[in-house]
Amino acid sequence: MTEELDITETLDVTGVSCPIPVVKTKQATDGLSEGEILEVVATDSGSMSDIRGWAESTDGVTLLEQTEDGDEYRHYVEKTA
Amino acid sequence: MSTDASETADEMADRDEQSRQAANEHDVEALLERIEALESTVDAMEDGRKKMTIVATQGTFDMAYPPLILASTAAAFDWDVVVFHTFWGLDILHEDRELKLSAVGNPNMPVPNAIAAVPGMDRLTTRMMKNRIEKNDTATIDELVELSLEMGVDLQACQMTIELMDYDESDFYDGVTTGVGAATALEHMANSDVQLLV
């Protein structure tokens, strides 16, 4: 599925932990237009739950997918409004 | 005569029915108006955003983290966030103040209380904690303050404490709100969905 996503921007938050991945993701999505997709690359295992929780209670964003590969966690967030 | 009387009775019944309908329509209209007024009041109260007020009273290195982490994260959720810093909590906003960790009275520190009270131990335990934070890639207090301000968190410094501690407002990070007191904090708390004392 990941290959099919048309990623607009990639945010690298590897090596930083809570709350930075969520806060930087918010800042990055603020700069996107409707329909654009942000890829977030993190190493914080808490980011799986945190980014999901953030996306669920934040208007204008949708979490499309999350993947886990070893110590690397990727999140795909679409700006919807 | 009897016909007339029955006509009159019918007319009276009609009139009653009409006035009942008119009264009902009037009631419904009044209720709709009331609902509309209440809805706009609720909208104004909610403002579409959740609100959080944190009162930060502690100025030790470890206790600076919870309010800053929650505040910056809540800002990422688009919440309207106020952190009211009072007493030692004011030291978090002091740009050049090195916050220290105290090992005294903390049974989770690997240092017995009798040794923790020795001069210089706070410096040592703080250095231990800072090393651990650096190793774990946790953000520094300085980074979290800057990030919170950047995200629109209102970091407020209690005016009474500023004067009590004889602090200079220019010692605080740029963007910190001064000239506020308990009434301002309470007013925001009363309208908040989340209120925390740290």
Side-chain angles (χ1 to χ4, degrees), chain A residues 15-20 22-24 26-27 30 43 50 53-55 57-59, chain B residues 48 68-70 72-73 75-79 136-139 143-144 147 150-151:
Chain A
V16 294
S17 61
C18 171
I20 305 297
V22 165
V23 177
K24 295 281 179 198
K26 156 72 179 164
Q27 288 181 322
D30 278 348
T43 48
D50 281 356
W54 167 79
S57 53
T58 302
D59 290 337
Chain B
L68 289 172
I69 289 177
L70 289 172
S72 54
T73 306
F77 276 67
D78 258 336
W79 292 11
N136 198 46
D137 297 317
T138 302
E143 281 167 349
L144 288 173
L147 194 60
E150 197 183 309
M151 298 288 291

Side-chain angles (χ1 to χ4, degrees), chain B residues 9-30:
Chain B
D10 282 351
E11 277 168 17
M12 275 171 69
D14 277 356
R15 252 203 317 278
D16 278 359
E17 184 58 29
Q18 276 170 9
S19 67
R20 249 198 311 276
Q21 271 179 11
N24 278 343
E25 274 167 24
H26 183 261
D27 283 352
V28 169
E29 211 169 284

Side-chain angles (χ1 to χ4, degrees), chain A residues 5-37:
Chain A
L5 294 177
D6 183 12
I7 294 157
T8 312
E9 197 182 308
T10 296
L11 171 70
D12 182 4
V13 282
T14 53
V16 294
S17 61
C18 171
I20 305 297
V22 165
V23 177
K24 295 281 179 198
T25 299
K26 156 72 179 164
Q27 288 181 322
T29 54
D30 278 348
L32 294 183
S33 305
E34 194 178 331
E36 292 186 328
I37 294 171

